[in-house]
Amino acid sequence: MLTDWLRRRWRPAPPPAPPLSPLDFTAPDVVQDPYPYFARLRREEPVHRGAGGAWLIARHADVQAALADPRLGNAPAPYAVIAPRNRTRYLCAEVAGNTLPFIDGARHAALRRTLAQAWAAQLRETPPDIDAHARRLWAACPARGQFDLLHDFATPLAVTVIGEVLGVPVAAREALQADARHFLYLFTAMPSHAVREATDAALGRLRHGFAHLLDGAAGPGLIRRLGGAAAQTLDREVLLDNLALLWADGIGNVDVGIAAAFAALLRHPEQWQALCAQPDLSPAAAGECLRFEAPAQFIGRVVQEDFDWHGQTLRRGQAVLLLLASANRDENRFPAADRLDIRRPDTGALSFGRGHHSCLGAALARGQLAAALQSAAERTPRLHLTQATVQWQVRPGHRWPHALPVTVP
């Protein structure tokens, strides 16, 4: 017994953790579960140089401050494929230079004001019946026994809602939907020349498709609304590219966000059952799921002038990635941050950014997620994941499941 006591008493200290390696968003373990890596960044190196050379900002307070910091701009880094120097070479660079997320200053303010006013007026005067769409689409799914919640429910819901808001005819939606995913490559590193070429081709088709709709818009919708007064003040290609942005973002981050939320809840069955017992908690549950599994892991900025931050020197022209997903799991802002809690008070998740560059469609996206959760919780409490492990796409900057097979016994 004395020997056992001495062994316990003098047990050697565990070896120190190895130094942080540059974080690689394409590493398989990071793709599958980035949150332990984010937690270590917050503890040890809140301003970290990632594997691609960009600075990663990990803590909630720092990310929130950076979103409003004029020393960090939105125009792409000089070496990026979508940088202004490539406008005449690649369509993706031209489109980036025309759209809200990649411009600053007075030009951004004027364009956002035009789009935001039209967006708000459209939703105020002709709001989509999101609840009815969600109920209709969900009613067709559980009867199958097994279905893919992402592709059979979430994507059709997102396409239906943004199509109705913009005024995209049903017959035109399938072709435009096929190109929407490529638009969102503007928000991450192009993985290959082939993807860049495919993205340019898709952007060209989106421009052509929205030009056709803009010229022939007869029904209600944002396209017709912007085809009036806004068409007199905006360059035509700027208008077309921002319509494509609203379309692509209204599908590509919404449907995967819905799927990721269901994945989180079904992997925490006590939370799913709590929601099924009180479906009116769906708006709060939607906010918590967006905090817990933000579909956009980071947003990019570019250093405008040299400055020091947490012992690191950030140089003009360097890329900075604001880790929204890490900020949303910051224990200093969210108690028990790694625990899903649908009754958690709204305490400042940054899933849609903050300030002048926040997501224009954030409220619409939240509304779709809440409607999706409520439709399922009211009708299908025995819903569960078909596979224990969710497979996530290798797509830096995006937390997107490949699919979400579910079963209704």
Side-chain angles (χ1 to χ4, degrees):
M1 292 181 62
L2 178 60
T3 303
D4 291 341
W5 181 86
L6 288 171
R7 188 178 295 118
R8 290 194 302 271
R9 178 67 179 83
W10 299 107
R11 183 181 299 159
L20 280 167
S21 299
L23 183 62
D24 178 3
F25 285 97
T26 65
D29 51 348
V30 177
V31 171
Q32 198 58 29
D33 186 6
Y35 299 107
Y37 298 89
F38 294 161
R40 192 170 174 199
L41 292 184
R42 291 193 301 272
R43 289 192 306 269
E44 301 176 28
E45 202 171 310
V47 177
H48 168 80
R49 199 77 182 268
W55 292 103
L56 312 183
I57 311 301
R59 293 176 180 167
H60 186 284
D62 292 336
V63 171
Q64 183 168 285
L67 288 167
D69 195 324
R71 297 172 298 180
L72 299 173
N74 290 273
Y79 51 81
V81 171
I82 61 171
R85 64 182 174 83
N86 288 327
R87 280 184 68 97
T88 58
R89 298 178 63 197
Y90 307 136
L91 184 56
C92 58
E94 182 183 342
V95 171
N98 288 343
T99 48
L100 275 176
F102 302 103
I103 57 178
D104 288 306
R107 182 169 173 245
H108 173 270
L111 177 57
R112 184 176 177 98
R113 183 166 54 250
T114 297
L115 295 176
Q117 288 175 351
W119 179 267
Q122 181 65 35
L123 293 180
R124 182 176 62 252
E125 296 172 16
T126 316
D129 193 342
I130 299 173
D131 290 334
H133 291 316
R135 288 194 299 270
R136 174 180 59 81
L137 289 165
W138 188 261
C141 290
R144 305 177 192 178
Q146 281 193 8
F147 61 98
D148 184 338
L149 195 147
L150 173 58
H151 296 105
D152 295 334
F153 171 72
T155 300
L157 177 61
V159 170
T160 298
V161 172
I162 194 63
E164 191 173 304
V165 171
L166 294 184
V168 177
V170 173
R173 292 175 187 174
E174 183 175 353
L176 290 173
Q177 178 189 342
D179 291 318
R181 303 284 177 194
H182 280 283
F183 193 104
L184 298 181
Y185 273 114
L186 271 61
F187 297 92
T188 188
M190 295 280 182
S192 66
H193 290 296
V195 169
R196 198 270 308 155
E197 290 172 352
T199 298
D200 279 353
L203 293 174
R205 290 190 294 269
L206 285 169
R207 263 194 187 174
H208 177 78
F210 279 102
H212 178 74
L213 294 176
L214 187 65
D215 292 338
L222 192 67
I223 295 172
R224 181 182 181 188
R225 188 181 295 274
L226 287 171
Q232 308 304 314
T233 59
L234 294 181
D235 178 90
R236 179 176 173 84
E237 289 180 345
V238 169
L239 179 52
L240 294 174
D241 291 345
N242 281 281
L243 285 170
L245 165 70
L246 294 171
W247 168 257
D249 210 25
I251 299 171
N253 273 318
V254 174
D255 62 350
V256 292
I258 292 171
F262 273 94
L265 284 163
L266 295 176
R267 291 168 70 186
H268 295 79
E270 78 289 349
Q271 295 296 306
W272 173 245
Q273 291 306 317
L275 181 61
C276 292
Q278 288 185 269
D280 59 340
L281 289 175
S282 293
E288 171 68 350
C289 288
L290 286 166
R291 179 198 71 83
F292 192 80
E293 285 285 14
Q297 286 193 310
F298 61 71
I299 54 177
R301 294 290 187 264
V302 176
V303 181
Q304 304 298 299
E305 61 183 71
D306 295 0
F307 68 98
D308 293 332
W309 204 357
H310 288 291
Q312 304 283 7
T313 299
L314 280 61
R315 303 290 185 188
R316 186 176 185 272
Q318 290 179 332
V320 176
L321 305 181
L322 308 180
L323 300 183
L324 305 177
S326 174
N328 286 349
R329 296 284 191 104
D330 191 334
E331 304 82 353
N332 289 320
R333 185 62 185 253
F334 305 99
D338 286 328
R339 179 168 59 86
L340 184 71
D341 180 2
I342 64 172
R343 292 182 172 84
R344 184 188 299 273
D346 183 0
T347 52
L350 299 175
S351 306
F352 294 107
R354 188 68 61 86
H356 298 307
H357 277 273
S358 60
C359 177
L360 199 63
L364 188 66
R366 286 193 194 94
Q368 289 176 78
L369 176 50
L373 293 177
Q374 183 155 357
S375 294
E378 288 176 342
R379 295 163 178 78
T380 325
R382 293 196 296 162
L383 184 73
H384 64 263
L385 294 174
T386 305
Q387 301 168 352
T389 301
V390 178
Q391 296 300 317
W392 303 92
Q393 296 185 37
V394 182
R395 196 163 167 136
H398 296 133
R399 182 76 166 154
W400 289 4
H402 281 286
L404 196 71
V406 294
T407 301
V408 181

